[in-house]
Amino acid sequence: MHVLVIGAAGMIGRKLVEHLAGSPSVLGDGIARLTLADAVTPAVPETLRSITTALTIDLADGDPATRLIEGRPDVIFHLAAIVSGEAEADFDKGYAVNLDGTRALFEAIRREGQREPYRPRVLFASSIAVFGAPFPEVIGPDFFTTPLTSYGTQKAIAELLLADYSRRAIFDGVGIRLPTICVRPGAPNKAASGFFSNILREPLAGKEAVLPVSEDVRHWFASPRSAVGFFIHAATMDTSIIGPRRNLTMPGLSATVGEEIEALRRVAGDRAASLIRREPDPLIAGIVAGWPTNFDAGRAMKLGFRAENTFEEIIRIHIEDELAGVLP
Amino acid sequence: MHVLVIGAAGMIGRKLVEHLAGSPSVLGDGIARLTLADAVTPAVPETLRSITTALTIDLADGDPATRLIEGRPDVIFHLAAIVSGEAEADFDKGYAVNLDGTRALFEAIRREGQREPYRPRVLFASSIAVFGAPFPEVIGPDFFTTPLTSYGTQKAIAELLLADYSRRAIFDGVGIRLPTICVRPGAPNKAASGFFSNILREPLAGKEAVLPVSEDVRHWFASPRSAVGFFIHAATMDTSIIGPRRNLTMPGLSATVGEEIEALRRVAGDRAASLIRREPDPLIAGIVAGWPTNFDAGRAMKLGFRAENTFEEIIRIHIEDELAGVLP
């Protein structure tokens, strides 16, 4: 089996590749060939070095898609994107990568299939940013996509293309609408959603973190481990039972910031929780107020997708996967 | 005011242009300049000959969009499209015109605005084909767009682009999701939906018509006169009250084929109704079974859009507008 990961240097891409390296038969047949692509050169796992090609590509330039598909990968994980803030600031770049780059990939698959029969599995990283406020209390499975960012627009368009190309049997696609990933590893970042992870990750490492919103703010979460699990499941499941509605809101945990902090207190004690400093930021509070708080993800759950049920689970996964199982 | 109609040679385009010619101040300021564009040369109304330019363009070739926008039209009616059956049969042509052609138009407006401030009103002909079965009994205002044709996919993508470009104030757009237009004038055509019009238009002209489905088939209708009214209203309304959800399901009449026939009988008598010949066609019945039957169009109605309430109204409008008010 030839596996292609586009966006292999990103947070989920790296974790997915690590997982494949650790369990090469998780996709069924075992991996005979692995191609990793990203805008920055992706790391190659030591155990798969002999079968791996790492490529530095710009998806906005249509050629790389053709080159990637010439190798006829059987499973394609498409995780690459210009993130929300940058796609909003740079209109052309966001559309060039998130829309045109994705479409170039889909078209390269179509052309390859015209040359010789070919129908790979395509797993696409979408986002709950396809939805735009105002929302019902729980967003149902048939709620419309009225995004309020160009990023969300580009993801919603890619979802429509994925469904049409799948309906025409050009490929076998599944769109994975990811919850906000928590706890994000790495340094604190400036993304408006950063604090959801910062207020756990930093105290768990004995450091202060800033909370810019009130504790009653509710949002929708899954761990990085669940995110990898979503893609693996989508790559291996029986897609014949999905039907033509190929884009799935993944399961997640609806929780408030207060519930996050209580879970931190239970896992790591009062000292950790006391490292969270309240510094209300009306700008961030305003942005976050427009975000969804809860979903009915019953459809994806019926199809076998799973996420965490409590924030303590999410924290314990972070401790296991990022802190070698121990608190400092 | 400079008005541009793209798709001016189509059924709704011709009726819209006739309406503008008959009431040039319907858009407010009066029309100082009219540009008509289509793949076949559009007819020019006699009374507006001196201010009208008629252009034959191929929207799939990006250049025409730039040329059309160089004239800085204030109001743009974008009605041009490859129709459903052809977009399904010719993948490349459908995407080239319905997606790339529309995006080229939107991009030409953006480039013109970067050169010198410009924010025209853009009225886009969308379709209930953005929805895909299975449906609830009544499709609500926040039902998702999961099209089952490439045409519906292309319309849904254009809607997303229209909303994003409007949100960014590149133009002031309204997407008009048209019901099935009935009674379509002209000769019977082979479209799967053709019979809905054929079984009225032909008997009203003293001719036989074929009904390929059962009388309990329900669908969603508006007259050509209502369709023109939707576009005129969208061109003149206060768009500040719409908000970011710029694509509106237009009002219509939910009715069965049996109700259609009863209305024909009341307006034109038993002899007309007896000209309908039942010839069940399982292929057409199967296609039509996947179509929506009823919508909650309350949002568009609150915004002032209006359609017919009975099939008798629809038939009387056909007699007035196409048969000079008299039955043969």
Side-chain angles (χ1 to χ4, degrees):
Chain A
M1 181 184 286
H2 177 188
V3 176
L4 167 62
V5 183
I6 308 172
M11 189 262 286
I12 295 171
R14 277 181 287 122
K15 288 192 170 286
L16 175 65
V17 172
E18 276 169 30
H19 187 77
L20 294 176
S23 331
S25 63
V26 72
L27 297 179
D29 285 346
I31 301 174
R33 186 174 164 195
L34 178 63
T35 304
L36 306 178
D38 207 313
V40 297
T41 312
V44 174
E46 203 48 54
T47 55
L48 300 179
R49 185 160 300 277
S50 63
I51 59 163
T52 301
T53 310
L55 300 169
T56 313
I57 61 155
D58 177 1
L59 207 59
D61 157 17
D63 284 349
T66 307
R67 278 194 294 125
L68 291 174
I69 297 306
E70 274 167 4
R72 298 175 67 87
D74 304 288
V75 177
I76 300 169
F77 296 98
H78 175 27
L79 315 172
I82 300 297
V83 298
S84 186
E86 189 175 3
E88 198 60 22
D90 191 336
F91 184 94
D92 287 303
K93 190 173 179 182
Y95 273 94
V97 173
N98 296 348
L99 172 49
D100 295 324
T102 299
R103 192 168 166 211
L105 175 69
F106 292 177
E107 277 293 282
I109 295 169
R110 188 166 74 100
R111 281 195 308 275
E112 182 61 28
Q114 285 168 338
R115 209 180 57 73
E116 201 180 311
Y118 176 52
R119 186 166 170 253
R121 179 77 57 102
V122 176
L123 301 318
F124 170 64
S126 190
S127 163
I128 53 174
V130 297
F131 300 107
F135 302 115
E137 205 171 318
V138 177
I139 297 180
D142 56 7
F143 192 66
F144 64 173
T145 54
T146 57
L148 292 175
T149 59
S150 291
Y151 174 81
T153 302
Q154 292 144 13
K155 289 291 185 188
I157 292 174
E159 284 190 356
L160 283 160
L161 292 172
L162 176 127
D164 199 38
Y165 279 65
S166 294
R167 186 183 62 83
R168 284 179 177 268
I170 293 166
F171 56 71
D172 183 12
V174 184
I176 302 284
R177 283 187 197 136
L178 293 170
T180 288
I181 300 302
C182 191
V183 181
R184 260 190 98 88
N189 72 37
K190 293 271 178 188
S193 63
F195 71 86
F196 288 120
S197 285
N198 298 347
I199 63 170
L200 300 177
R201 185 191 55 242
E202 299 306 302
L204 287 169
K207 298 183 204 160
E208 268 205 347
V210 171
L211 175 61
V213 304
S214 73
E215 294 200 8
D216 61 357
V217 165
R218 181 176 285 281
H219 194 49
W220 180 248
F221 304 99
S223 72
R225 194 193 281 179
S226 283
V228 170
F230 298 153
F231 283 98
I232 297 291
H233 182 63
T236 52
M237 71 182 290
D238 174 8
T239 50
S240 69
I241 60 175
I242 299 185
R245 294 171 173 176
R246 288 286 177 143
N247 298 288
L248 302 168
T249 299
M250 288 295 110
L253 170 66
S254 173
T256 64
V257 168
E259 288 162 11
E260 248 194 284
I261 297 172
E262 278 319 298
L264 175 66
R265 195 183 306 277
R266 281 193 295 274
V267 174
D270 286 341
R271 208 187 62 83
S274 70
L275 288 167
I276 298 171
R277 208 173 65 235
R278 274 81 178 161
E279 270 184 29
D281 181 330
L283 182 70
I284 289 182
I287 294 172
V288 173
W291 290 355
T293 56
N294 200 358
F295 289 87
D296 169 1
R299 189 161 173 244
M301 292 187 74
K302 245 179 248 155
L303 290 167
F305 292 91
R306 290 289 175 271
E308 291 77 21
N309 293 309
T310 69
F311 239 112
E312 283 172 77
E313 277 182 78
I314 289 181
I315 294 171
R316 286 187 201 284
I317 286 170
H318 177 74
I319 294 170
E320 285 174 27
D321 290 358
E322 305 295 332
L323 305 175
V326 291
L327 287 174
Chain B
M1 179 184 286
H2 177 188
V3 176
L4 167 62
V5 182
I6 308 172
M11 190 263 285
I12 295 172
R14 277 181 287 121
K15 289 192 170 284
L16 175 65
V17 172
E18 277 169 30
H19 187 76
L20 295 176
S23 333
S25 64
V26 73
L27 298 179
D29 286 346
I31 301 173
R33 187 172 164 197
L34 179 64
T35 304
L36 306 179
D38 207 313
V40 297
T41 312
V44 175
E46 204 47 56
T47 56
L48 299 179
R49 185 161 299 279
S50 63
I51 60 163
T52 301
T53 310
L55 300 169
T56 312
I57 61 156
D58 177 1
L59 207 59
D61 157 17
D63 284 348
T66 307
R67 279 194 292 126
L68 290 173
I69 297 307
E70 274 168 3
R72 297 175 69 85
D74 304 287
V75 178
I76 300 169
F77 296 98
H78 176 27
L79 315 172
I82 300 297
V83 298
S84 186
E86 190 176 3
E88 199 59 23
D90 190 335
F91 184 95
D92 287 301
K93 190 173 180 183
Y95 273 95
V97 172
N98 296 348
L99 171 50
D100 296 322
T102 299
R103 193 169 166 209
L105 176 69
F106 293 178
E107 278 293 284
I109 296 169
R110 187 165 76 99
R111 281 195 308 275
E112 182 61 29
Q114 285 167 337
R115 208 180 58 74
E116 201 180 312
Y118 175 52
R119 185 165 171 256
R121 179 75 59 99
V122 176
L123 301 319
F124 170 64
S126 189
S127 162
I128 54 174
V130 298
F131 301 107
F135 301 115
E137 205 171 319
V138 178
I139 298 180
D142 56 7
F143 192 67
F144 63 173
T145 53
T146 56
L148 292 175
T149 59
S150 291
Y151 174 81
T153 301
Q154 292 144 13
K155 289 291 182 187
I157 291 174
E159 285 190 357
L160 283 160
L161 292 172
L162 176 126
D164 199 39
Y165 280 64
S166 295
R167 185 182 63 81
R168 285 180 177 266
I170 294 165
F171 57 70
D172 182 14
V174 184
I176 303 284
R177 283 186 197 136
L178 293 170
T180 288
I181 300 302
C182 191
V183 181
R184 264 190 94 88
N189 71 36
K190 292 272 178 189
S193 63
F195 70 87
F196 288 120
S197 285
N198 299 347
I199 62 168
L200 299 177
R201 186 192 54 244
E202 299 305 303
L204 287 169
K207 297 183 205 160
E208 268 205 348
V210 171
L211 174 61
V213 304
S214 73
E215 294 200 8
D216 61 357
V217 164
R218 180 176 286 280
H219 194 48
W220 180 247
F221 303 99
S223 73
R225 193 193 283 178
S226 283
V228 169
F230 298 153
F231 283 98
I232 298 291
H233 182 64
T236 52
M237 71 182 291
D238 174 8
T239 50
S240 69
I241 59 173
I242 300 184
R245 292 172 173 175
R246 289 285 178 143
N247 297 289
L248 302 169
T249 299
M250 288 295 109
L253 170 66
S254 173
T256 64
V257 168
E259 287 161 13
E260 250 194 281
I261 296 171
E262 278 319 297
L264 175 67
R265 195 184 306 277
R266 282 194 294 275
V267 173
D270 286 341
R271 208 187 62 84
S274 71
L275 289 167
I276 299 170
R277 206 173 67 235
R278 274 81 178 160
E279 270 184 27
D281 181 330
L283 183 69
I284 289 184
I287 293 173
V288 174
W291 290 355
T293 56
N294 200 0
F295 290 87
D296 169 1
R299 191 164 170 239
M301 292 187 74
K302 246 180 245 154
L303 291 167
F305 292 91
R306 291 289 174 271
E308 291 76 21
N309 293 309
T310 69
F311 239 112
E312 283 172 78
E313 275 182 80
I314 289 180
I315 293 171
R316 287 188 201 283
I317 286 169
H318 177 74
I319 294 170
E320 284 173 30
D321 290 358
E322 305 294 333
L323 305 175
V326 292
L327 286 174

